[in-house]
Amino acid sequence: MKSISVVIPNYNGRHLFEKYFENNYKILNALGTKIQIIIVDDASSDDSVAYLEEHYGNNVTIIRKEKNSGFSHTCNLGIQKASNDLIFLLNTDVTLEEGYFEKLYKYFELEDTFGVMGRIIGMEDDNILDAARSPRILGRKIKPSNFFYLKDSDTLTPTFYLSGAIALMDTRKLKAINGFNEMFNPYYGEDQEMSIRAWRLGWKCYYEHNAVCRHEVSASTKGHKDNYSVKRIYFRNRYYMHHLHLHGIDLNLYHMQVILSDVLPSIITLQFYKAQAYLDFLRNMNELSVKKSAFKTQMKNHKSNIGINDVIENIKMMLKYKQVVKL
């Protein structure tokens, strides 16, 4: 059985540790394999760290950040510290059901598995909050489909991207792609962009419907920003993702589509967050170009020439003739 390093990003999450951590801690320690628990505190202003030190002491590794910077940077610090075979990213607002990991191990018997995630349901009900997704293109915009799963539970289910809240990933591969892109700080879209890089390097992301966890919706990000700022960050990161993974005429057409369908209507309707998000994107073009060039070099080193359109086709082929249950 492969060993697991658990990476938990935290910001002002004492109340969440009190509610959910003990259950997850017991499930992890009952696995019968080597477990490393790394909690990265993103400069919390509550007493999260003191609580963990008091109740879990030497059983967890705590990394304290002096300055709040967001999800990607926080997770990357934990990823760098991880030393076991697999890395499990776990949000503080998630509680695992019994048997979660036992249903995921089989995926890592396959050489090309990057990672796998289970089904996320509500904390108080069984409504599905996250499942598999396939990519679709609207014009030149790449969007995830609605949630789905496959009727045949023995069939491997590809997913366009892994949720950063509960993803179990191959440590070597995750470190090889340098974890999350920190341009996506403070949050939103970083897990999708990282998963796209994994697919483009020839690895696969999977969804396991029978591995279940519960999620308190938005509990870990609640109160971080006002609604306007959240929307602005969300769209800025969408523009980042497309710019990083589209090329040539597809990229030019994408920007035309964004200006016509996002930016101009945003100005006309005085809902400026999309226009401001696009300006944010334009200000960071140089850094995006550096990231894009570095990944191009990495693809050459991995002898891969898979583009985003190839990823979309590959996932479609994996789902062909399968009984897809749409949610």
Side-chain angles (χ1 to χ4, degrees):
M1 189 179 284
K2 290 181 182 287
S3 57
I4 299 175
S5 292
V6 185
V7 174
I8 305 174
N10 172 63
Y11 178 70
N12 287 347
R14 174 183 170 146
H15 62 296
L16 298 170
F17 282 117
E18 287 179 321
K19 285 198 275 188
Y20 306 129
F21 185 67
E22 182 62 25
N23 171 72
N24 296 336
Y25 183 77
K26 285 177 179 176
I27 285 175
L28 285 160
N29 283 292
L31 283 174
T33 188
K34 186 181 174 188
I35 298 293
Q36 175 189 31
I37 298 175
I38 304 164
I39 297 156
V40 189
D41 185 71
D42 197 9
S44 292
S45 55
D46 70 358
D47 58 349
S48 303
V49 171
Y51 172 82
L52 290 166
E53 287 176 335
E54 180 185 347
H55 291 85
Y56 296 95
N58 296 326
N59 297 317
V60 298
T61 298
I62 300 172
I63 300 172
R64 301 171 185 81
K65 290 169 60 179
E66 294 298 318
K67 184 179 177 183
N68 181 272
S69 62
F71 184 82
S72 294
H73 177 243
T74 302
C75 287
N76 283 348
L77 288 175
I79 290 165
Q80 290 163 17
K81 186 81 173 174
S83 57
N84 288 340
D85 301 321
L86 304 175
I87 289 176
F88 182 57
L89 289 182
L90 177 64
N91 272 13
T92 49
D93 52 6
V94 167
T95 182
L96 304 169
E97 300 276 275
E98 291 287 345
Y100 187 84
F101 293 97
E102 288 84 345
K103 297 178 178 73
L104 303 184
Y105 271 116
K106 64 184 179 184
Y107 292 88
F108 297 96
E109 294 170 8
L110 305 170
E111 279 297 315
D112 61 355
T113 295
F114 176 73
V116 58
M117 63 172 278
R119 176 178 16 147
I120 304 179
I121 60 176
M123 198 60 73
E124 305 298 334
D125 54 46
D126 291 341
N127 292 335
I128 294 176
L129 303 177
D130 211 340
R133 294 204 185 210
S134 59
R136 58 198 175 104
I137 293 187
L138 298 174
R140 286 302 185 276
K141 288 183 180 180
I142 302 157
K143 297 194 173 186
S145 68
N146 293 332
F147 301 131
F148 74 90
Y149 64 93
L150 297 184
K151 200 164 188 179
D152 181 0
S153 60
D154 292 327
T155 303
L156 297 183
T157 306
T159 186
F160 186 35
Y161 66 93
L162 303 167
S163 168
I166 50 142
L168 184 64
M169 292 168 283
D170 182 292
T171 299
R172 181 185 61 80
K173 295 184 178 81
L174 182 55
K175 289 190 176 190
I177 63 170
N178 301 314
F180 292 107
N181 183 338
E182 294 182 14
M183 290 186 72
F184 286 69
N185 282 324
Y187 42 68
Y188 280 135
E190 61 284 298
D191 46 7
Q192 183 181 105
E193 194 279 330
M194 181 180 71
S195 300
I196 291 170
R197 277 184 280 134
W199 278 106
R200 290 188 63 195
L201 288 172
W203 300 325
K204 292 184 173 68
C205 300
Y206 291 106
Y207 168 75
E208 173 53 61
H209 193 64
N210 294 316
V212 181
C213 71
R214 294 184 180 273
H215 186 207
E216 184 178 331
V217 183
S218 300
S220 58
T221 57
K222 204 178 290 178
H224 277 219
K225 297 272 185 181
D226 61 90
N227 193 43
Y228 185 93
S229 298
V230 168
K231 288 179 180 176
R232 181 172 170 178
I233 291 165
Y234 171 83
F235 281 98
R236 179 203 68 179
N237 287 357
R238 286 205 59 75
Y239 303 147
Y240 281 173
M241 185 274 286
H242 283 81
H243 192 80
L244 288 166
H245 294 287
L246 290 174
H247 299 81
I249 192 167
D250 283 338
L251 181 59
N252 293 332
L253 289 171
Y254 169 74
H255 284 296
M256 285 178 59
Q257 185 178 357
V258 165
I259 290 166
L260 293 173
S261 67
D262 286 9
V263 177
L264 292 178
S266 174
I267 295 168
I268 292 165
T269 60
L270 306 182
Q271 299 289 318
F272 293 115
Y273 55 86
K274 288 183 184 178
Q276 289 186 312
Y278 196 68
L279 283 174
D280 294 339
F281 153 76
L282 291 174
R283 290 188 192 102
N284 290 297
M285 285 280 283
N286 288 341
E287 192 177 350
L288 285 165
S289 295
V290 170
K291 293 279 188 187
K292 195 166 183 172
S293 177
F295 184 63
K296 188 177 179 182
T297 300
Q298 192 170 34
M299 287 189 68
K300 281 183 182 175
N301 293 338
H302 281 80
K303 297 180 172 56
S304 175
N305 60 357
I306 299 170
I308 187 67
N309 292 322
D310 300 314
V311 171
I312 292 168
E313 286 305 310
N314 289 345
I315 293 174
K316 278 183 183 174
M317 288 300 296
M318 291 176 74
L319 294 172
K320 202 170 183 180
Y321 308 122
K322 305 291 192 304
Q323 287 184 287
V324 174
V325 180
K326 296 180 181 178
L327 302 170

